[in-house]
Amino acid sequence: MKQFFDVIVIGGGHAGCEAAAAAARTGARTALVTKALSDLGVMSCNPAIGGLGKGQLVREIDALDGLMARAADYAGMQFRVLNRSRGPAARGPRAQIDRKLYAEAIPALLNKVAHLSVIEAMVGDVTLVGDRVAGVLLEDGRRLECSALVVTAGTFLRGVIHIGQERIPAGRADEAASNALGHAFERLGLPMGRLKTGTPARLDGKTIDYARLEPQPGDSEPEPFSYLTDSVARVQRDCYITRTTLETHAAIREGLADSPLFSGAITGRGPRYCPSIEDKVTRFGDRNGHQIFLEPEGFDSDTVYPNGISTSLSPETQRRFIQTIPGLEECTIQRYGYAIEYDYFDPRSLFPTLESKRIEGLFFAGQVNGTTGYEEAGAQGLLAGVNAARRAAGVAPAIIKRSDGFVGVMIDDLVTRGVSEPYRMFSSRAEYRLSLRADNADLRLTPVGSALGCVSHERMRRFEDRRAKIAEIEVQTRTLVATPNEANAAGIAVNADGVRRSAFDLLSRPDVSFDHLLRIWPGLSAVPSDIRLQVETNAKYAVYLDRQTRDIESYARAFDAALPDALDYGAIPGLSNEARLKLSEARPATLAHAYRLEGVTPATMTILAAYVKRKAAAE
């Protein structure tokens, strides 16, 4: 018997859960196909959510009514805002997560989503009608039909685990790889490659000597991820810090002969910004130590994740080098670290909607697009799910620009530049990061999500209330004025020039906080703390944001001109053969996309801009 859905999502990881929930929230009949119901919400690697750049993605997922932030708030063991001593644009919220609680939260949230069915099965093949996706064939023989398909297979497509000289076909530890589906995509002729990632050993916390380690507590006032979470209720757990030693490095070097990274057994490129410990020791031989964060995996679990020593060395070498690390001399290893190599799809073969340029209705999201990290996967999944639903409904796609969100930066980077290693989000990748802050993700993207139909009425109500309060207090602080004497008496150093300054102007100064204003205007004490912080941040960035807004508008006028997908670049006079080839392969949607392609020169852009201008004038 056949079943029809508007959207089918393959894979129940972070990308898949966000994709399925987002598609269903828009009203699309959606099926999430996962090989095991227990996979929903599983954190395959580190027990943490967020960080620099990544924390912004989590807030943006939440602003669009995604799942990750709410699940993290429910399961969080320790909350910290990284770079808190710096400006808000440089900060990144992060939380240690209880794996068990997170895996409880995600299915519970999915169960509340209307129009969503979860099917426990393995997908063996994709069915097409011409160059359009038609459905999937399950390995148990069932057929599911659909108008749009989202592939979020993570590391499972022909995955191979490497531990020393051992090779194990698997998608992750003790779980079978999806070989049939990997071969199916290869038969479709989609551009594919191999990447690798890794994970460290897991340690028994009862055997760690914490007295020798440096504790790392969370923030005294935990800051939740979700705009729907009022406060963090759970007691926080400490993490601990240790370091490798010269003895550690010697033990690693002695075991390199069995390393698949150096024997040639692994051909896929690994993440440069999260290298294995054998990579660190080899590449940074002059260092006498590398920091390790010992992260608890659960409130009622003794398992500890040693962040900083991912490895594919043999079990014997792992035992030897771990026991040279201060505090870990007597520790017991619960599971050995490993590297995993897997198939990925060249994201340059995708539109900015994450739909394949070759097969209509086929979308990809997550690690299969060459990214690494839960946050990158979840953000892609959400946009892919929304666009799959819109493709099924026959309405215009949703594209978030680089100037609108970190998710827009990431997707634009992927589809225009591609990847040579697993892509990780950093705040430095965003040229408009002054406005793309973690604190204002809802102000930027919740109205967008509402227009796309993926934001609930409850979230929209909460958002509109918050936005109205911020606007009210901003107007009030622009109206209230103080003399130089009043300002100086409150500890705000200003010139004695007789000029009255508004509370908003005073708040824009780097050394002035909302607490200073309360000394002059005690009536402002009734303002909620989150509104105070938002108004203070807005004031401090106001001058810079006005300038950035002008830059964005100027850039948009010059580069937002559309390039038709069917444009014949061979017919445009003056383009080099190399430029014609790159543009024909990439099919950029706009001049801005074309400009970010590798090898596209300013001369090429001049010719393209002139061509677009002539075409517009002719029409």
Side-chain angles (χ1 to χ4, degrees), residues 308-377:
I309 54 171
S310 67
T311 183
S312 58
L313 290 166
S314 68
E316 176 56 34
T317 301
Q318 291 189 45
R319 276 195 302 272
R320 199 161 58 243
F321 88 70
I322 286 173
Q323 291 180 348
T324 66
I325 297 169
L328 308 184
E329 292 90 346
E330 304 296 329
C331 81
T332 298
I333 296 175
Q334 293 180 338
R335 194 188 81 193
Y336 291 101
Y338 62 83
I340 183 166
E341 198 173 15
Y342 54 94
D343 286 346
Y344 84 101
F345 300 92
D346 187 340
R348 292 173 296 183
S349 66
L350 306 177
F351 292 114
T353 59
L354 298 180
E355 183 178 15
S356 169
K357 294 176 179 177
R358 299 189 182 187
I359 299 175
E360 183 181 321
L362 179 60
F363 295 77
F364 294 92
Q367 282 187 276
V368 292
N369 285 343
T371 60
T372 182
Y374 310 140
E375 304 84 359
E376 291 88 345

Side-chain angles (χ1 to χ4, degrees), residues 387 389-397:
N387 277 315
R390 296 178 76 80
R391 163 62 75 182
V395 297

Side-chain angles (χ1 to χ4, degrees), residues 219-524:
D219 290 342
S220 58
E221 296 184 14
E223 183 177 307
F225 278 110
S226 178
Y227 294 98
L228 297 184
T229 303
D230 294 321
S231 63
V232 174
R234 300 184 191 276
V235 176
Q236 296 197 85
R237 289 275 304 271
D238 284 351
C239 295
Y240 290 84
I241 299 173
T242 185
R243 292 180 67 82
T244 61
T245 65
L246 292 177
E247 189 182 357
T248 310
H249 301 174
I252 290 169
R253 291 190 183 97
E254 289 172 8
L256 288 180
D258 290 332
S259 169
L261 288 178
F262 296 91
S263 69
I266 292 178
T267 59
R269 184 85 175 267
R272 179 171 29 132
Y273 299 104
C274 188
S276 65
I277 188 60
E278 50 265 45
D279 261 343
K280 291 179 185 178
V281 169
T282 304
R283 289 163 51 191
F284 309 108
D286 58 330
R287 298 276 295 275
N288 61 10
H290 297 276
Q291 199 168 57
I292 302 168
F293 294 91
L294 299 177
E295 303 174 346
E297 294 205 348
F299 286 108
D300 58 358
S301 171
D302 293 315
T303 302
V304 170
Y305 180 96
N307 195 336
I309 54 171
S310 67
T311 183
S312 58
L313 290 166
S314 68
E316 176 56 34
T317 301
Q318 291 189 45
R319 276 195 302 272
R320 199 161 58 243
F321 88 70
I322 286 173
Q323 291 180 348
T324 66
I325 297 169
L328 308 184
E329 292 90 346
E330 304 296 329
C331 81
T332 298
I333 296 175
Q334 293 180 338
R335 194 188 81 193
Y336 291 101
Y338 62 83
I340 183 166
E341 198 173 15
Y342 54 94
D343 286 346
Y344 84 101
F345 300 92
D346 187 340
R348 292 173 296 183
S349 66
L350 306 177
F351 292 114
T353 59
L354 298 180
E355 183 178 15
S356 169
K357 294 176 179 177
R358 299 189 182 187
I359 299 175
E360 183 181 321
L362 179 60
F363 295 77
F364 294 92
Q367 282 187 276
V368 292
N369 285 343
T371 60
T372 182
Y374 310 140
E375 304 84 359
E376 291 88 345
Q380 289 176 71
L382 193 151
L383 262 294
V386 167
N387 277 315
R390 296 178 76 80
R391 163 62 75 182
V395 297
I399 297 176
I400 293 181
K401 299 177 183 178
R402 295 181 71 92
S403 55
D404 293 334
F406 268 61
V407 60
V409 172
M410 173 180 62
I411 292 175
D412 184 64
D413 282 349
L414 292 172
V415 302
T416 58
R417 299 176 182 175
V419 298
S420 57
E421 63 187 55
Y423 178 100
R424 180 178 179 178
M425 190 73 246
F426 293 106
S427 55
S428 59
R429 296 188 189 274
E431 59 268 47
Y432 302 122
R433 55 187 173 274
L434 292 184
S435 57
L436 306 184
R437 305 185 307 274
D439 64 89
N440 68 355
D442 63 331
L443 300 174
R444 291 184 281 113
L445 292 179
T446 297
V448 174
S450 178
L452 296 173
C454 68
V455 170
S456 70
H457 294 302
E458 169 60 16
R459 181 177 293 273
M460 201 60 198
R461 184 191 65 77
R462 293 275 294 262
F463 165 75
E464 288 173 342
D465 182 56
R466 174 173 138 83
R467 182 169 60 178
K469 287 179 180 175
I470 292 169
E472 177 189 347
I473 301 306
E474 280 205 8
V475 169
Q476 191 174 355
T477 55
R478 290 178 186 276
T479 304
L480 296 171
V481 293
T483 66
N485 287 340
E486 289 172 325
N488 282 300
I492 305 174
V494 299
N495 293 331
D497 52 11
V499 175
R500 291 176 174 266
R501 294 168 176 85
S502 74
F504 194 83
D505 288 338
L506 295 174
L507 204 53
S508 69
R509 294 167 174 254
D511 56 344
V512 176
S513 70
F514 209 95
D515 288 340
H516 286 93
L517 303 189
L518 300 182
R519 300 169 190 172
I520 308 173
W521 300 284
L524 292 174

